[in-house]
Amino acid sequence: MDIVVKKIVREVKGGNQEAFAELVELYKDRVYHVAYRILGNVHEAQDVSQEAFLRAYTNLDSYDENRKFSTWIYRIATNLAIDRIRKKKPDFNLEDRVGGTENLDYHSQFADETPLPEEQIVKLEMQEWVQDEIMQLPPKYRTAVILKYIEDLSLKEIAEVMNLPVATVKTRIHRGREALRKRLG
Amino acid sequence: MACSREQRTLIDTYLDEEMTTREAEQLERHLQECPECRSYVDECSTAVARLRSMARLEAPAGFTDQVMKSLPKQPKRRQWKTWIRRHPMVITAATFFLVFLISLSSVMGGEETVSVEGSGQYLIDESQNMVVVPEDAVVEGDLVVRNGSVEVNGEVTGDVVIINGQHLQASTARISGEIEEIDESMEWLWYEIKDFMKDAFSFSGNGTENEDSR
Ligand SMILES: [Zn+2]
């Protein structure tokens, strides 16, 4: 896997733009998923993950081939997502929360599976509830918790993604977990 | 709160699964006795289990295409330039090679005589390396001229192909097919350069690999 990625990266660096599509294919789901969990909105998640790949392309020269590509692209994507949350804060976007616009979005992803059986609806509502609680976390805890418990990354990987010492990452995970314990526990 | 902050830190380590078996056993014994710590651990575990149960979403359809469309346009020339920037040695070598080839071809060329393929009426002027199709003449099919120029005043029903020569325009010409000028020495030169570059590229490719793996 890593050898394949290295090869593609070199192709792209050598001027073969088309080869970049293979990188996108390999990482798009992970990037999109992380962006969605941080932002809780499909449109923003798509926007941010596309922007992340565009930035990866334009900054490919700064990518260190000795590191995992996934870590690098996660880093770009999570930074973009957090930036977006911070920019949104002053005029807290009513449209995104009131009336559950994002929930609607969430449902629309399963549109082709209608009608949903009772059990599925309960499951979906549970997912929405958990997602809402994740969204209540301060951004710095949110990323750490998502990377740890949803993406299942190691502490070392999370430290690389967030550009923080492992000890700091641990503290953030603990604080995030503590906050969620009160809401989800 | 009966238990200290220290106990909390211990529990965090336990939840992180970073305890030795002995430490874990010790804490588990405490949990059996202490409902407060026990419910703390339970709540944390439930929260974590809920996070872990989140469905995996996939990027929407057409995602990759949209990313690819958003990338800055990359004209062929730029690829070439990037490549040159990365391999300045090769381009220097190639320039030398080009100069060498040009001088070589000028030494070799110049003694070939004009030859013509085609059926019909035409005049061959060997002193000027020139083929002329007169105004009222017709060449049926293609007219191929090698090592000479051609002036068509009459009619050619096929293509006019000039190898190592020029087509001289005439207003009365009627050529049904296409006019093609081929410069053999240039073609050959180009072919040789491409071949040379290919070798040079694979050679310098190995070079970069060594450089990268520091
Ligand atoms: Zn206790």
Side-chain angles (χ1 to χ4, degrees), chain B residues 3 7 30 34 37:
Chain B
C3 282
Q7 194 70 20
H30 172 74
C34 175
C37 284

Side-chain angles (χ1 to χ4, degrees), chain A residues 36-62:
Chain A
Y36 180 81
R37 291 303 169 208
I38 294 176
L39 293 158
N41 174 301
V42 288
H43 301 302
E44 288 189 313
Q46 184 171 358
D47 232 41
V48 158
S49 24
Q50 267 174 3
E51 176 71 19
F53 280 110
L54 175 61
R55 295 229 180 161
Y57 178 81
T58 50
N59 295 300
L60 201 59
D61 281 332
S62 69

Side-chain angles (χ1 to χ4, degrees), chain A residues 10 13 15 17 25 29 32-33 36-37 46 50 127 129 151-152 170 174 177-178 181 184-185, chain B residues 12 16 18 40 43-44 50 52-59 64 66 68 72 74 79 86 209:
Chain A
R10 281 189 194 172
K13 278 186 179 176
Q17 191 177 67
E25 277 297 315
D29 289 339
Y32 175 78
H33 187 238
Y36 180 81
R37 291 303 169 208
Q46 184 171 358
Q50 267 174 3
Q127 299 254 324
W129 171 53
E151 293 305 306
D152 211 21
K170 242 189 216 180
H174 293 167
R177 187 169 66 195
E178 168 64 14
R181 174 186 72 87
L184 298 174
Chain B
D12 277 338
D16 289 343
E18 285 180 344
Y40 179 84
E43 284 163 9
C44 280
R50 295 218 153 115
R52 288 199 196 276
S53 75
M54 293 300 267
R56 289 217 64 92
L57 305 179
E58 285 175 7
T64 304
Q66 263 172 298
M68 293 310 285
Q74 189 183 41
Q79 295 182 17
R86 274 166 213 263
E209 231 158 84

Side-chain angles (χ1 to χ4, degrees), chain A residues 12-153:
Chain A
V12 179
K13 278 186 179 176
N16 181 0
Q17 191 177 67
E18 287 306 303
F20 191 69
E22 295 174 50
L23 273 186
V24 181
E25 277 297 315
L26 283 171
Y27 295 99
K28 62 175 183 177
D29 289 339
R30 274 180 271 177
V31 168
Y32 175 78
H33 187 238
V34 145
Y36 180 81
R37 291 303 169 208
I38 294 176
L39 293 158
N41 174 301
V42 288
H43 301 302
E44 288 189 313
Q46 184 171 358
D47 232 41
V48 158
S49 24
Q50 267 174 3
E51 176 71 19
F53 280 110
L54 175 61
R55 295 229 180 161
Y57 178 81
T58 50
N59 295 300
L60 201 59
D61 281 332
S62 69
Y63 164 62
D64 177 358
E65 283 182 32
N66 298 316
R67 295 181 177 227
K68 282 172 96 170
F69 188 82
S70 60
T71 312
W72 192 62
I73 190 82
Y74 269 137
R75 183 162 169 180
I76 298 172
T78 52
N79 282 341
L80 284 171
I82 297 297
D83 274 357
R84 194 165 279 229
I85 295 168
R86 295 213 168 112
K87 277 186 196 137
K88 225 164 54 170
K89 246 187 180 157
D91 57 323
F92 198 65
N93 204 336
L94 280 173
E95 198 192 297
D96 275 354
R97 305 282 318 170
V98 176
T101 314
E102 82 238 280
N103 295 353
L104 259 177
D105 287 334
Y106 198 88
H107 280 302
S108 69
Q109 293 216 321
F110 298 86
D112 51 347
E113 290 170 23
T114 47
L116 291 171
E118 185 88 8
E119 194 185 314
Q120 279 273 41
I121 293 169
V122 173
K123 225 174 171 178
L124 264 183
E125 278 169 357
M126 167 82 105
Q127 299 254 324
E128 279 166 20
W129 171 53
V130 175
Q131 180 65 41
D132 276 354
E133 294 305 340
I134 293 171
M135 307 279 294
Q136 303 302 315
L137 289 176
K140 57 181 184 176
Y141 301 155
R142 204 187 300 182
T143 310
V145 162
I146 289 170
L147 292 177
K148 169 76 182 162
Y149 293 115
I150 300 184
E151 293 305 306
D152 211 21
L153 298 193

